[in-house]
Amino acid sequence: MSYNTLNALNLTNKTVILRADLNVPAHDGVVSDFTRIDRLIPTIDYLRSHNTKIVVISHFGRPKGKVNPDYSLSFLTTVLIDRWSCPVHFSEDCIGEDAQAQIADMGEGEVMLLENLRFHGGEESNDMAFAKELAKLGDVYVNDAFSATHRAHASIDALTTLLPSAAGLLIEEELDNLQHILKTPEQPVAAVVGGAKVSTKLSLLKNLVTQVDYLILGGGMANTFLLAKDHKIGKSLAEPDMVAEAKDIMQTANDANCKIILPKDANCAKEFKAGAESATHKSSAIPDDLMVLDIGPDSIKEVSAILSECKTVIWNGPMGAFEIKPFDKGTNELAQLVAKLTKDGKVKSVAGGGDTVAALDGTDSSKDFTYISTAGGAFLEWLEGKTLPGIAALEKNKKAA
Ligand code: AMP
């Protein structure tokens, strides 16, 4: 199955409802990472070149169906004017007569940013009546919120049944790249998976061990696997109730000929604090009063040798507590290696998910990866082989265009 792309729609002089993901990292109205905003520029430019009016809809945070000024999207108006280099207006509700009137009044080539979709409960409940209100705001619907396609919400799912629909250029780029690099990857394939917990990535791990040659584990989640191997891990972050699952994953990996690489050694400290006094210990002998905060030098050496033999690398999650020095070392050194291997044409590399891009950017390595996904949850669900509801909705309603 496939979905419509922008060239399937008759766009000229139309009003386009564009589902974007403007759920960007921001504190006190200051955006700390513009990636999701900037990667919408090709779609914005394409739509403007067809003299459309662009109605941008998005969620922001989790206001849970209630109006809450802390989650207003209004602060992004000036940011979008700057990043997208076009006139951007703001409407205080994402549905209703006022929004409709403001859209009617604006000029072609201009953008109307609507208030947070999640101020209405109908968004998350995929309510058709709410979707019908949204549909009144435009002639055609474009979804370019790849990072929200794992949610069957009204602006992602129900709305596709009401208007001619297509994927925007970012969704097209994301899926083309993920499919091209990872559907039939060049082997051997290594997945580098880190981050805090096993529980949040359980289905990812279960799926990966049946697909890849090496599963390289780091971060807090590796501690749970060390526990499953009866290692003492001192005061380290771990999930003892996930030990049985970790054992299961190790068995599945063994049956599938996938090698799980656990850290041989670790950089440990007494407390989770920048500049904390740290020392390297073997993973089999972590002192009782210390916690593992990063992979150690022998692990970096072992993993580097494996990655240098691989043709494809998938990366999700940091190898340690990368936000605080010196525990960013394992993540940084491996990220730099993957970036170099990619630059030298030796591997294809894809990274995505949550904190991953921020972690890789500690050394500015991500620019040399073959592809960086803008998505967190949707990237992981795609890797797990799950159907993304937002993409399925576009495919199902292809005929509507
Ligand atoms: P995730 O969102 O699951 O990818 O987890 C990312 C978080 O895991 C980051 O905030 C890291 O600081 C944290 N993390 C990674 N390794 C460790 C560790 N060994 N101990 C505690 N936290 C860790």
Side-chain angles (χ1 to χ4, degrees), residues 78-301:
T78 50
V79 176
L80 297 184
I81 291 171
D82 180 42
R83 309 298 293 195
W84 291 351
S85 309
C86 68
V88 179
H89 314 275
F90 182 73
S91 169
E92 284 176 8
D93 199 350
C94 62
I95 52 173
E97 285 175 9
D98 279 357
Q100 289 169 35
Q102 279 181 273
I103 293 163
D105 282 349
M106 86 172 164
E108 288 169 355
E110 297 182 4
V111 170
M112 181 68 65
L113 170 64
L114 303 186
E115 184 56 285
N116 196 341
L117 290 162
R118 290 189 185 168
F119 283 1
H120 293 267
E123 165 63 358
E124 293 194 60
S125 63
N126 202 13
D127 178 44
M128 187 54 80
F130 178 64
K132 282 185 178 160
E133 288 302 310
L134 290 174
K136 287 181 188 166
L137 304 171
D139 309 306
V140 296
Y141 166 77
V142 173
N143 185 357
D144 219 10
F146 180 66
S147 39
T149 52
H150 59 314
R151 309 276 188 219
H153 292 172
S155 67
I156 300 277
D157 184 22
L159 191 50
T160 60
T161 65
L162 302 171
L163 293 173
S165 303
L169 298 174
L170 177 58
I171 283 195
E172 205 185 334
E173 178 201 280
E174 292 266 11
L175 289 174
D176 281 357
N177 275 283
L178 295 181
Q179 266 152 15
H180 179 69
I181 305 165
L182 299 179
K183 266 286 165 225
T184 47
E186 265 193 80
Q187 288 166 332
V189 182
V192 179
V193 183
K197 293 178 173 178
V198 172
S199 52
T200 55
K201 294 181 186 170
L202 196 58
S203 42
L204 173 72
L205 296 174
K206 282 183 177 164
N207 188 270
L208 282 176
V209 289
T210 65
Q211 314 273 335
V212 304
D213 302 286
Y214 297 97
L215 175 63
I216 294 161
L217 295 179
M221 70 157 61
N223 299 334
T224 302
F225 282 81
L226 293 174
L227 267 186
K229 296 187 87 170
D230 290 330
H231 288 343
K232 290 197 168 156
I233 57 165
K235 294 195 301 174
S236 305
L237 173 73
E239 295 168 287
D241 54 337
M242 283 284 135
V243 162
E245 295 281 5
K247 283 184 179 165
D248 252 18
I249 291 168
M250 290 195 281
Q251 185 59 50
T252 313
N254 196 42
D255 297 344
N257 240 344
C258 165
K259 288 201 178 64
I260 294 188
I261 310 295
L262 290 172
K264 273 179 153 48
D265 59 350
N267 196 12
C268 308
K270 279 201 169 125
E271 36 184 358
F272 190 104
K273 208 171 98 182
E277 195 183 317
S278 63
T280 302
H281 293 274
K282 283 203 162 40
S283 300
S284 54
I286 306 292
D288 287 348
D289 61 336
L290 296 187
M291 58 177 82
V292 169
L293 288 176
D294 194 12
I295 58 173
D298 286 351
S299 309
I300 296 176
K301 214 184 269 171

